[in-house]
Amino acid sequence: MCGIVGIVHNNQRDFQQNILHMNDIQAHRGPDASGVEKLTGAILGHTRLSIVDIASGHQPMSCNSNKLFITFNGEIYGYKEIKKGLDYPFKTNSDTEVLIALYKQYGSKMLSKLSGMFAFAIWDDQERTLFLARDRFGEKPLYYGFTDDGDFIFASEIKAIIASKLLTPKVSGKAIGHYLQRLYIDPLETIYENIHALAPGSFLTYNDGRLEINRYFNYPITQDISLADATEIFQDKFDKSVQRQLIADVDVGAFLSGGLDSSTVVAIAQKYNQNLKTFSFGFEGTMSELSYAKEIANRYGTDHHELLADKVDIADL
């Protein structure tokens, strides 16, 4: 998990302190490093949790010609295979650089080639164009709005936009009504009428005051299929999905409850990572899943860690 922030502006004001405040409020998303890139007409920020290419994956990152700059939150599954098909002089081993190389080669069509969880911003310093994109299912958050002076602003979290002190948040009556009826805020909206969520499977472009949002992913049309064929296809896709998500330059772990879902994930993951670590959490005085989890961990030979608590203070969550 990382944090991304940015401001696109049309004036000579120095937004350095505003971006630093935004980075600071999202420091919990990326405790390993932070960075700021001041550009002509834009400023980007990033807080990093180092997982892939720890040494050279610092962000914001620029392309080889210093015309494109990216701030990225997430993980691109299978990025090493994507990298092989790109004509680009790579300097790092990060999936971040793969994204910027993809954009340089394919533009917005790059999104059809991606699998993963992501929210990223690419600034074209030559065209003065911002490109924002969010993964298919909205696993990674991305919010945007316009400041009181009309500048465009975005961040991984709403509170980072507010922390910039460039935008006066206005509570949405529509969002309150939705909450009172259904006890949650519509995920395609926010509690503020002037701060918006980029919809999952969508991308946004912003240039010279013009904003355009397009959808790049829609759920495929279902087709009739036999149970036997569906089972075979699912097993193959599930296996490949777990395998692709094990790429990391740090230790890989899994939460293991002993139930069917987590046990299946661990069973597949252990085939590709012999050093997998598993973690379980239980409560004293209640029916605990620790014994089941320990049995599964022993079966697959993982390095298992058990965490036990008799109570949890909601204030600590």
Side-chain angles (χ1 to χ4, degrees):
M1 180 173 68
C2 299
I4 66 174
V5 298
I7 303 168
V8 179
H9 56 86
N10 292 314
N11 55 60
Q12 299 302 314
R13 177 176 173 179
D14 185 356
F15 291 95
Q16 176 87 9
Q17 290 302 315
N18 305 94
I19 285 290
L20 290 176
H21 287 318
M22 296 173 74
N23 269 351
D24 287 345
I25 207 71
Q26 292 188 158
H28 59 281
R29 301 186 65 88
D32 295 329
S34 64
V36 173
E37 188 75 41
K38 296 175 66 175
L39 305 159
T40 304
I43 182 168
L44 304 178
H46 187 267
T47 53
R48 187 184 184 207
L49 176 65
S50 302
I51 296 177
V52 173
D53 196 2
I54 298 172
S56 57
H58 182 75
Q59 295 187 54
M61 182 182 291
S62 64
C63 71
N64 58 319
S65 62
N66 285 324
K67 294 180 180 179
L68 300 175
F69 297 82
I70 185 171
T71 179
F72 163 54
N73 169 34
E75 183 179 354
I76 305 302
Y77 306 144
Y79 76 94
K80 292 184 178 181
E81 291 301 316
I82 298 174
K83 184 177 181 178
K84 294 177 182 178
L86 295 172
D87 182 16
Y88 184 86
F90 288 96
K91 297 180 180 179
T92 76
N93 295 313
S94 69
D95 49 353
T96 306
E97 193 175 20
V98 170
L99 283 177
I100 206 165
L102 270 172
Y103 184 79
K104 189 172 185 179
Q105 189 164 328
Y106 297 104
S108 63
K109 294 181 179 179
M110 66 177 286
L111 296 169
S112 64
K113 304 178 182 298
L114 295 182
S115 175
M117 51 178 181
F118 57 81
F120 64 85
I122 295 177
W123 172 253
D124 187 325
D125 208 38
Q126 185 172 4
E127 300 295 330
R128 300 292 189 270
T129 298
L130 179 72
F131 179 78
L132 293 180
R134 193 177 178 199
D135 62 72
R136 297 177 179 182
F137 303 109
E139 187 171 351
K140 292 301 180 182
L142 187 53
Y143 300 95
Y144 68 92
F146 287 91
T147 69
D148 296 344
D149 292 332
D151 297 316
F152 186 85
I153 188 170
F154 68 88
S156 295
E157 298 183 10
I158 293 175
K159 61 184 179 181
I161 293 178
I162 297 175
S164 72
K165 298 183 179 180
L166 298 172
L167 177 151
T168 305
K170 300 177 182 178
V171 175
S172 168
K174 179 182 178 183
I176 291 178
H178 190 284
Y179 179 82
L180 292 176
Q181 286 182 314
R182 299 177 174 87
L183 299 182
Y184 69 92
I185 302 297
D186 187 331
L188 298 180
E189 299 181 0
T190 77
I191 193 65
Y192 302 109
E193 63 180 42
N194 56 341
I195 301 178
H196 313 281
L198 183 63
S202 300
F203 68 90
L204 178 156
T205 55
Y206 182 73
N207 173 267
D208 194 24
R210 297 186 299 273
L211 183 150
E212 183 178 345
I213 298 175
N214 292 281
R215 190 167 183 84
Y216 69 87
F217 173 78
N218 290 291
Y219 292 103
I221 299 174
T222 57
Q223 299 178 345
D224 291 335
I225 188 172
S226 69
L227 179 59
D229 288 343
T231 301
E232 183 178 348
I233 292 172
F234 174 79
Q235 289 178 337
D236 178 65
K237 289 185 177 295
F238 186 82
D239 190 286
K240 290 179 179 178
S241 178
V242 173
Q243 182 184 10
R244 287 189 300 175
Q245 295 184 49
L246 294 174
I247 304 300
D249 294 327
V250 294
D251 291 340
V252 177
F255 289 112
L256 179 61
S257 67
L260 180 62
D261 50 358
S262 63
S263 299
T264 305
V265 170
V266 168
I268 300 299
Q270 192 271 341
K271 295 195 305 181
Y272 302 105
N273 187 336
Q274 300 297 319
N275 297 316
L276 187 70
K277 300 179 184 295
T278 54
F279 300 84
S280 299
F281 195 93
F283 295 88
E284 292 181 342
T286 63
M287 185 175 181
S288 176
E289 294 179 332
L290 291 180
S291 59
Y292 302 108
K294 185 175 182 179
E295 180 181 343
I296 296 297
N298 289 337
R299 181 183 304 174
Y300 295 111
T302 64
D303 181 11
H304 188 62
H305 303 267
E306 295 183 355
L307 308 173
L308 191 65
D310 56 357
K311 65 178 181 178
V312 177
D313 189 339
I314 193 170
D316 294 332
L317 295 178

